[in-house]
Amino acid sequence: MSKTMEKLFSSIYRKAIKYRIYTIINIAGLSTAFALSSLLFLYSWNEYNVDSFHRNKDRIYRVVDSKDGCAFTQPLLAGELKDAFPEIEAVTRVRHNDGGYYKFGENIFDIKYDMCFDSTAFQIFDFHLIAGNEKEALKNPFSIVLTKSVAKRIFKEIDPIGQTLRYNNLCNFVVTGVMDDLPENSSFSVDAILPFPVLAYLWEGNPEKPSNVLTIRDNASFHTYILFKKNINVPAIESKITAFMKNKDYEQDFKLQSQKNIYFDKNARDRWINKGDASMVILLLSIAIGLLIISIVNYINLNSAITRNNLFNLGIRKLLGAKTNQIVSFSIVETLIFFSVSIALAALIIAFIKEPFQNILLVNYSFSSIAAGKLFFLVALLTLVVALLSGIIPARYFIRLHSVAVINSKHSNKGYSNLTNNSLIILQFFITIVFIVAALTIEKQVFYINHKNLGFNKDLLVYVDMKSMNLTESQAKSLKEDLISDPRIQSISYSAGLFGDVRRGDYAELNGIKALYRRIPTDPDYIKTMGYHIVEGRDFSFNMKTDFTSQAYIINQATVKAFEMKDPLNEKINDHPIVGVVEDFNFESVHKNIQPVAFVCNPEEAIWIANIKLSSGDVRGAVQHIKNMFKKIKPDSPLHYSFADERIAGYYKKEIQFSKLSVIFSIINIIISCIGLVGLVLFRISCRVKEIGIRKVNGAKISEVMVMLNHDFVRWITIAFVIATPISWYAMNLWLKNFVYKTDLSWWIFALSGILTLGIALLTVSWQSWNAAARNPVEALRYE
């Protein structure tokens, strides 16, 4: 047995050395494809398993609006549901505090995601405490639970339990617990947990006196999560819960959304939740599968070509008594060795490219799960299938041809005919064209996003977050005067909302229609600073005292449409007179429809965000002036500012990164395809050397020989293009449906994809064809 194996491995080694160019091509293509597709599969695996670490994920539901999926609910809802339905095991309310900074000793720390939960959150979610007690950790409103990484960053080697953090120079929080960091694939981002009741103290910045924010029904600013008891039929109870909430006079109609569906729900209007794009994951999976198919097609085609070129040796073996199962075993073992070497090289490639790959995708996950998980099984299964397939191909030739005919084929020119499976080559070009169409479409959409008119002027617009500063109205007025005194600043206004972060929503009934609209408190300079276009009525004015006393509204056109207003300037919303209408603008990403918005003239409530419009020129100097003025009025508060265009671009990070990734993988796909083509062309030429020599002796030109060699490739690419065009058009249309505002699928994208594929393939083929056609025919015929 050992001699048989030794002989087998010796034969495989000799064959690999004999066809060393094709061995290198196969291993390079397979290892590259295995490495890249493994990274893509693992990314997709993590995306589809978001929140899987919650043991109760099948029983966790969130309350959302039944019409638009809005997840904002009132603070009393959670308690009322728990009291009314014994099927509910626990409820919790959730809100991002997002209020400022924490101080320990002389050091100031930003805790980006300080989330507010009821104490029942530990019962519902798998927030694992490694220090502290779950039942006691959130009992006091001014307690705080930190994640392990945040506790390490703040306290270093000091035991955090019992330590005090100063919050916004307003109040103190005592550390009562430390929890494990949440996995990367979590829909929640949590750096710290605050008791939900503390919001009553922080809402108006008065830690001595709680506001009524958690006891009123008209403040829909919170998320409500429900944990049902085991074996509860949730769909059956949902209608009862909906009816109950209607009886409680809630303005909106609710439904229940499973925790499993939150991450990929593109229609949900929520905040504080990490969101995924299912269509993007499907595209990445398609890229991974495409890479594998292309590399495997290369391997099968080249292996098949080598087998056809080696038919003489197969014929001799058959005459000497070789059996079919021996030929099959040889091919299977050969493929297993090739794949094993390729997988080992893929592991080395992954070690080098994992970090930049994750940087592109803006993720960070452990690769160790691939060894113990289903991905390892997938790779093993794929290897076995391809090994069997590659074993069947030579066996097919071995069985069908008579030994004498096989031997005689060495001296004929029939070796090139049907050299490879044409359908596999067409499949390879098909995938290449689809990849290029996807890359061009994504690039076009990203360009559209970056250049779309959002309805306001985002250039040289600076946002400064003032929520943690707790400025008085007089301080805000003084700051504004100091800022506008610099000629590098055109205008400044205050608001309680900015792009992508409009928190306040109110319901109103008008003309028999109930609808939710976003409410943004502003000062009278806001419309001018933002550059909104007024289409009806007028702007707010400091000289119109009624704008302040009545808290007048300026609404957008979407609000006019939502309430079916015929004469909006003579209407009121919730007793607020409407003095103007602005043209619709995008205050959220272009994935979403423009929603009804009302600006309310209420400067006192607007001191959250400073919107500062700069003059062109000395931008750096203007920013330094802004820093100086804020430092002057609030020396202890860290300054958080951002440029509007950068903030807006941040909402499309995934699309931008995915655009880069699609281009990179399209190029890699083309390179692997071209490498395979080089191998196939070399084989085709080697089988037709004598034919080319005879044609040249009979007067054929180099160009004629090249056309002869290139003819089949043109035909295959044309067929692939005809198949790929409708399929890629359909696929990219599906992807573009994720955007309410999107680019068109232009005809030139498909034409360019076909031309690029044809051009690159012909360049690859023609390079080898020219070398063969330009060779002296005497070299090919001298032994005839």
Side-chain angles (χ1 to χ4, degrees):
M1 183 68 180
S2 59
K3 287 185 178 180
T4 303
M5 292 301 296
E6 184 179 344
K7 187 176 180 181
L8 180 63
F9 284 112
S10 177
S11 298
I12 292 171
Y13 175 76
R14 287 197 304 271
K15 183 181 175 183
I17 295 300
K18 180 179 179 181
Y19 298 103
R20 62 177 63 87
I21 293 176
Y22 313 108
T23 300
I24 293 171
I25 288 173
N26 274 328
I27 291 178
L30 287 172
S31 58
T32 302
F34 284 163
L36 296 176
S37 59
S38 295
L39 288 170
L40 289 174
F41 277 128
L42 187 62
Y43 170 77
S44 302
W45 177 264
N46 276 268
E47 287 289 288
Y48 280 120
N49 283 276
V50 164
D51 288 337
S52 60
F53 66 96
H54 295 303
R55 288 168 294 177
N56 298 322
K57 63 180 181 299
D58 294 333
R59 298 192 285 135
I60 301 172
Y61 287 78
R62 185 176 66 168
V63 180
V64 298
D65 188 281
S66 61
K67 294 178 181 178
D68 64 359
C70 178
F72 289 119
T73 56
Q74 291 80 356
L76 296 176
L77 177 63
E80 290 173 344
L81 289 175
K82 180 66 173 69
D83 293 338
F85 293 93
E87 297 89 345
I88 294 176
E89 184 173 322
V91 294
T92 185
R93 297 164 293 179
V94 183
R95 196 179 196 279
H96 187 193
N97 180 42
D98 192 25
Y101 61 95
Y102 295 81
K103 192 173 183 180
F104 179 67
E106 297 300 317
N107 299 316
I108 293 175
F109 300 92
D110 284 322
I111 301 179
K112 187 176 181 181
Y113 295 105
D114 50 346
M115 305 293 293
C116 298
F117 288 89
D118 286 308
S119 58
T120 49
F122 293 110
Q123 184 180 349
I124 298 173
F125 303 108
D126 279 59
F127 298 155
H128 178 240
L129 284 187
I130 56 178
N133 185 292
E134 290 181 358
K135 294 181 180 180
E136 302 293 329
L138 300 179
K139 193 171 183 180
N140 187 310
F142 291 95
S143 56
I144 186 171
V145 173
L146 303 176
T147 60
K148 183 167 62 176
S149 59
V150 171
K152 183 73 173 176
R153 174 163 59 94
I154 295 174
F155 298 108
K156 302 294 189 284
E157 302 302 323
I158 301 173
D159 182 4
I161 301 298
Q163 299 295 332
T164 299
L165 294 175
R166 183 72 175 165
Y167 174 74
N168 282 357
N169 280 335
L170 282 176
C171 57
N172 294 329
F173 283 96
V174 177
V175 179
T176 54
V178 177
M179 60 182 277
D180 275 329
D181 293 338
L182 295 186
E184 284 293 326
N185 59 340
S186 168
S187 59
F188 282 123
S189 290
V190 177
D191 292 323
I193 294 179
L194 302 177
F196 193 86
V198 80
L199 286 172
Y201 298 89
L202 302 181
W203 198 267
E204 294 179 359
N206 186 352
E208 302 297 328
K209 181 181 178 183
S211 68
N212 66 346
V213 67
L214 302 184
T215 58
I216 56 177
R217 289 192 179 276
D218 61 352
N219 184 2
S221 302
F222 316 96
H223 290 184
T224 301
Y225 283 81
I226 299 172
L227 174 67
F228 285 97
K229 293 178 180 178
K230 293 181 180 179
N231 303 319
I232 295 296
N233 186 345
V234 176
I237 198 176
E238 185 173 13
S239 58
K240 297 179 183 178
I241 291 177
T242 302
F244 168 80
M245 289 186 282
K246 280 186 177 179
N247 292 334
K248 286 290 184 178
D249 294 328
Y250 285 104
E251 297 287 346
Q252 65 210 99
D253 294 327
F254 292 106
K255 67 178 180 180
L256 299 179
Q257 181 183 42
S258 173
Q259 175 76 15
K260 298 181 294 183
N261 299 330
I262 291 175
Y263 184 68
F264 283 126
D265 186 2
K266 62 184 179 183
N267 296 318
R269 312 190 69 86
D270 51 22
R271 295 183 65 251
W272 325 309
I273 297 295
N274 298 320
K275 303 294 288 185
D277 186 339
S279 64
M280 189 177 294
V281 177
I282 291 171
L283 278 173
L284 289 175
L285 274 174
S286 301
I287 290 173
I289 294 169
L291 282 170
L292 286 176
I293 290 174
I294 287 171
S295 62
I296 291 170
V297 164
N298 276 347
Y299 178 82
I300 293 174
N301 278 342
L302 287 175
N303 209 34
S304 177
I306 292 172
T307 300
R308 286 295 300 250
N309 201 53
N310 213 28
L311 283 180
F312 177 76
N313 292 334
L314 289 178
I316 295 294
R317 288 187 187 183
K318 191 166 188 178
L319 282 174
L320 294 176
K323 297 180 180 179
T324 302
N325 63 337
Q326 290 176 319
I327 302 300
V328 173
S329 299
F330 177 87
S331 294
I332 290 175
V333 172
E334 180 187 36
T335 299
L336 290 174
I337 291 173
F338 266 87
F339 273 51
S340 298
V341 172
S342 300
I343 290 170
L345 287 175
L348 291 176
I349 294 171
I350 288 169
F352 283 102
I353 69 171
K354 185 180 77 168
E355 188 173 342
F357 175 83
Q358 292 186 343
N359 289 339
I360 291 174
L361 281 175
L362 303 175
V363 294
N364 182 27
Y365 50 78
S366 171
F367 198 74
S368 60
S369 61
I370 191 172
K374 295 181 180 180
L375 290 177
F376 178 80
F377 173 77
L378 179 65
V379 171
L381 181 64
L382 181 67
T383 302
L384 183 60
V385 169
V386 177
L388 290 172
L389 199 60
S390 66
I392 291 169
I393 290 172
R396 181 185 64 179
Y397 297 137
F398 189 77
I399 294 168
R400 286 167 54 187
L401 295 178
H402 192 275
S403 302
V404 176
V406 173
I407 295 171
N408 288 336
S409 72
K410 180 184 178 185
H411 302 288
S412 73
N413 284 332
K414 295 178 181 178
Y416 72 85
S417 66
N418 294 322
L419 180 64
T420 53
N421 191 332
N422 294 349
S423 60
L424 292 180
I425 299 174
I426 292 170
L427 175 62
Q428 193 176 45
F429 287 130
F430 162 80
I431 293 171
T432 300
I433 292 170
V434 171
F435 274 22
I436 296 174
V437 168
L440 291 174
T441 303
I442 295 165
E443 277 291 313
K444 193 166 183 277
Q445 176 63 14
V446 170
F447 181 86
Y448 173 84
I449 289 171
N450 289 332
H451 293 83
K452 183 185 183 298
N453 181 7
L454 299 176
F456 64 96
N457 190 353
K458 63 182 180 180
D459 297 330
L460 298 175
L461 180 63
V462 178
Y463 296 134
V464 179
D465 190 340
M466 304 189 303
K467 292 188 290 294
S468 63
M469 296 182 181
N470 299 303
L471 298 180
T472 64
E473 196 170 359
S474 61
Q475 285 176 318
K477 183 178 180 181
S478 174
L479 175 63
K480 190 173 183 180
E481 290 172 355
D482 289 340
L483 287 169
I484 202 66
S485 65
D486 193 302
R488 294 170 293 193
I489 294 177
Q490 287 187 32
S491 63
I492 176 174
S493 66
Y494 297 134
S495 68
L498 72 165
F499 185 92
D501 190 6
V502 178
R503 302 186 177 193
R504 307 185 183 198
D506 283 344
Y507 279 89
E509 184 173 358
L510 187 65
N511 300 324
I513 300 171
K514 283 185 178 181
L516 174 70
Y517 66 96
R518 303 297 180 90
R519 177 178 172 274
I520 305 178
T522 68
D523 65 16
D525 287 326
Y526 185 71
I527 304 296
K528 174 185 68 176
T529 301
M530 298 298 294
Y532 295 127
H533 177 56
I534 295 178
V535 294
E536 282 188 75
R538 61 173 178 84
D539 196 356
F540 295 134
S541 172
F542 284 103
N543 297 323
M544 297 287 292
K545 298 301 180 184
T546 53
D547 286 354
F548 299 86
T549 57
S550 65
Q551 294 191 1
Y553 275 3
I554 293 177
I555 61 175
N556 66 346
Q557 292 170 318
T559 309
V560 175
K561 184 178 180 180
F563 290 105
E564 298 180 4
M565 299 182 188
K566 295 181 179 178
D567 186 9
L569 299 182
N570 288 317
E571 300 274 14
K572 287 186 178 182
I573 298 178
N574 289 341
D575 293 326
H576 296 272
I578 299 169
V579 299
V581 179
V582 296
E583 191 174 61
D584 277 340
F585 59 93
N586 291 93
F587 64 92
E588 294 178 309
S589 77
V590 297
H591 293 88
K592 301 175 182 178
N593 281 311
I594 294 175
Q595 297 295 301
V597 173
F599 302 113
V600 54
C601 186
N602 187 350
E604 184 179 357
E605 197 180 355
I607 310 173
W608 277 31
I609 305 295
N611 308 276
I612 305 172
K613 186 70 174 179
L614 307 183
S615 303
S616 57
D618 185 12
V619 174
R620 182 176 296 181
V623 171
Q624 187 58 52
H625 174 67
I626 293 170
K627 291 179 179 178
N628 293 339
M629 292 302 100
F630 274 94
K631 196 71 175 176
K632 173 184 172 183
I633 200 164
K634 280 286 180 178
D636 293 331
S637 295
L639 184 67
H640 299 288
Y641 71 93
S642 60
F643 281 86
D645 53 356
E646 293 175 353
R647 179 181 176 84
I648 292 168
Y651 279 82
Y652 310 112
K653 276 184 180 179
K654 283 194 173 181
E655 284 76 20
I656 293 169
Q657 301 305 88
F658 186 50
S659 171
K660 294 177 182 177
L661 203 64
S662 65
V663 170
I664 291 170
F665 277 99
S666 293
I667 294 170
I668 292 171
N669 168 25
I670 291 168
I671 291 171
I672 293 176
S673 297
C674 289
I675 289 173
L677 280 179
V678 169
L680 291 175
V681 172
L682 287 174
F683 262 114
R684 173 177 282 269
I685 291 169
S686 70
C687 292
R688 304 182 74 171
V689 167
K690 293 178 179 61
E691 179 189 350
I692 294 169
I694 292 169
R695 286 178 180 270
K696 289 199 68 179
V697 166
N698 288 326
K701 298 177 181 178
I702 291 178
S703 59
E704 292 174 340
V705 175
M706 289 181 66
V707 168
M708 176 193 72
L709 293 172
N710 290 358
H711 174 265
D712 284 343
F713 289 98
V714 174
R715 179 160 53 91
W716 293 332
I717 292 172
T718 303
I719 295 171
F721 177 75
V722 171
I723 299 171
T725 297
I727 293 175
S728 57
W729 179 88
Y730 177 76
M732 296 319 298
N733 258 315
L734 281 181
W735 181 73
L736 287 172
K737 284 183 179 179
N738 289 290
F739 302 87
V740 174
Y741 304 95
K742 52 184 176 288
T743 187
D744 297 322
L745 263 179
S746 305
W747 65 268
W748 62 262
I749 290 177
F750 303 93
L752 181 59
S753 300
I755 292 169
L756 280 174
T757 304
L758 179 62
I760 292 168
L762 288 181
L763 281 174
T764 304
V765 174
S766 297
W767 170 51
Q768 297 295 337
S769 299
W770 185 87
N771 286 334
R775 192 178 302 154
N776 188 340
V778 174
E779 294 179 14
L781 302 174
R782 59 184 171 182
Y783 296 114
E784 296 297 317

